[in-house]
Amino acid sequence: MKKLVNLIKLPSYKEDKNTLVIAEGSGPEVPFIISRVFNVQASMGSIRGKHAHRHCTQLLICTIGSIEVTCDNGVNSEKYILDKSNYGLIISPGVWSEQKYLEENTVLTVLCDRPYEEEDYICNYEEFINIKTNSNKELN
């Protein structure tokens, strides 16, 4: 069975006090062609996300600060801390995800394999559980 959440290490190169982190779509680290990229900046204590995708795969990278990511596949829930810009969390379709911002002015960068599609989002947790319970064919 395909792993629905995967913590990956991205290549990073240090020179003096500078660091370059690379995330190439369809490369060895990012297993999809990148179709959309967006940043979310939030205050400490903010909770964002609170949805699942029907088809979209995402790579979450905390570029500044730290975030606690809770991932729920309808049966099990796991928490991940993203606090290094060279680590990312790949979240497959069919996983409910919430992000809690642990530091002030934290920035989350999200890479997606699909453009924005409103109908791809499941924003109600009860609906998500119902879909996962009654039709695993619709979601991974």
Side-chain angles (χ1 to χ4, degrees):
M1 182 158 106
K2 178 174 116 176
K3 190 170 181 183
L4 298 177
V5 178
N6 190 21
L7 185 65
I8 62 168
K9 185 175 182 180
L10 298 166
S12 63
Y13 303 93
K14 293 188 178 216
E15 183 179 294
D16 299 323
K17 295 180 181 182
N18 304 302
T19 303
L20 171 68
V21 177
I22 299 172
E24 290 186 272
S26 291
E29 299 81 24
V30 182
F32 56 80
I33 295 173
I34 300 166
S35 179
R36 178 171 51 124
V37 177
F38 61 91
N39 290 321
V40 179
Q41 182 176 2
S43 301
M44 183 171 59
S46 295
I47 298 177
R48 304 271 312 176
K50 297 196 261 187
H51 65 267
H53 289 276
R54 296 175 191 275
H55 305 289
C56 184
T57 299
Q58 297 184 314
L59 171 60
L60 279 56
I61 303 168
C62 183
T63 49
I64 299 172
S66 64
I67 298 173
E68 177 185 80
V69 182
T70 303
C71 297
D72 181 341
N73 67 4
V75 177
N76 298 311
S77 180
E78 295 181 338
K79 293 186 181 202
Y80 301 85
I81 300 294
L82 297 178
D83 59 359
K84 295 177 180 66
S85 62
N86 66 322
Y87 280 84
L89 194 62
I90 297 175
I91 302 176
S92 296
V95 175
W96 184 270
S97 174
E98 297 183 6
Q99 301 89 43
K100 181 177 182 182
Y101 289 70
L102 302 177
E103 296 179 27
E104 199 61 39
N105 296 316
T106 290
V107 177
L108 175 68
T109 300
V110 182
L111 289 67
C112 305
D113 70 344
R114 297 174 68 91
Y116 173 78
E117 300 164 304
E118 184 176 350
E119 63 278 3
D120 187 50
Y121 286 73
I122 303 168
C123 297
N124 179 289
Y125 185 75
E126 288 76 26
E127 177 186 0
F128 167 74
I129 291 299
N130 187 44
I131 291 170
K132 292 293 281 190
T133 301
N134 297 316
S135 177
N136 264 345
K137 293 178 182 171
E138 185 172 350
L139 297 173
N140 286 344

